[in-house]
Amino acid sequence: MLALCLALRLQYAAGRQAARQADQVATLFAANMHWVFRELSDACIKRAWADFAVHRRVLQEVLAQGREVSLQQIDGSGLAMVTSLRAMAVEGLEMVASHTPQGDWHQLHRYFEKRLPSIAGWLALYGHPPENSGPTDYQGLRTSFGQFG
């Protein structure tokens, strides 16, 4: 009987730990989404093709990070946040995929600016409002991307 109780307690503790880790990854995903959308918006304002190309590639990495969030381990609001942000990242990738240096920078800037408040709202709802200045690097992502195209 004692062994069964101990096994149940260990299983419960492991489940709580997995849920905490999933929450942390979800929050990190949201923070990185906010950061990369802001950086893409800034690149559009400046019409800075090199910055845009780098951040377009990083958006792919951010989406990959978001896909690593275990949806079974997060609660209702976290699930809604991750699902919404994944959809937003996919849509963002579709928007940037065909953009060229001669493309409509203003329209793309408006696209990113319009979505930043939603991402910030998710972060605030989840207890982590974005920093005003933002992180100086992507948190939790690989830093070596190879050749940029």
Side-chain angles (χ1 to χ4, degrees):
M1 182 68 168
L2 182 61
L4 179 59
C5 289
L6 182 59
L8 288 174
R9 185 174 178 158
L10 289 174
Q11 184 178 11
Y12 175 76
R16 287 183 47 92
Q17 176 65 23
R20 278 194 300 274
Q21 288 174 340
D23 285 345
Q24 289 172 344
V25 173
T27 303
L28 197 58
F29 170 49
N32 285 334
M33 277 284 295
H34 188 267
W35 192 85
V36 76
F37 267 52
R38 191 177 61 234
E39 291 296 317
L40 283 164
S41 176
D42 290 347
C44 290
I45 290 171
K46 298 174 188 171
R47 296 179 183 242
W49 179 252
D51 289 347
F52 178 82
V54 167
H55 291 100
R56 176 174 57 186
R57 179 75 184 266
V58 172
L59 179 56
Q60 293 171 334
E61 294 294 323
V62 170
L63 177 57
Q65 179 190 47
R67 288 181 172 148
E68 292 176 7
V69 177
S70 176
L71 298 180
Q72 294 80 16
Q73 298 292 330
I74 51 181
D75 66 11
S77 64
L79 179 61
M81 177 181 74
V82 170
T83 303
S84 174
L85 292 178
R86 283 180 180 177
M88 199 178 297
V90 169
E91 181 183 58
L93 283 173
E94 290 173 357
M95 292 294 296
V96 299
S98 61
H99 187 68
T100 65
Q102 296 77 32
D104 188 347
W105 290 97
H106 183 68
Q107 176 190 8
L108 202 54
H109 166 70
R110 282 194 323 259
Y111 170 82
F112 289 112
E113 283 296 308
K114 184 177 179 182
R115 280 141 186 90
L116 281 169
S118 296
I119 301 170
W122 278 119
L123 280 166
L125 179 68
Y126 219 61
H128 300 278
E131 299 175 20
N132 289 335
S133 61
T136 58
D137 196 2
Y138 298 97
Q139 301 174 29
L141 297 175
R142 294 189 298 265
T143 56
S144 175
F145 299 108
Q147 292 295 87
F148 291 111

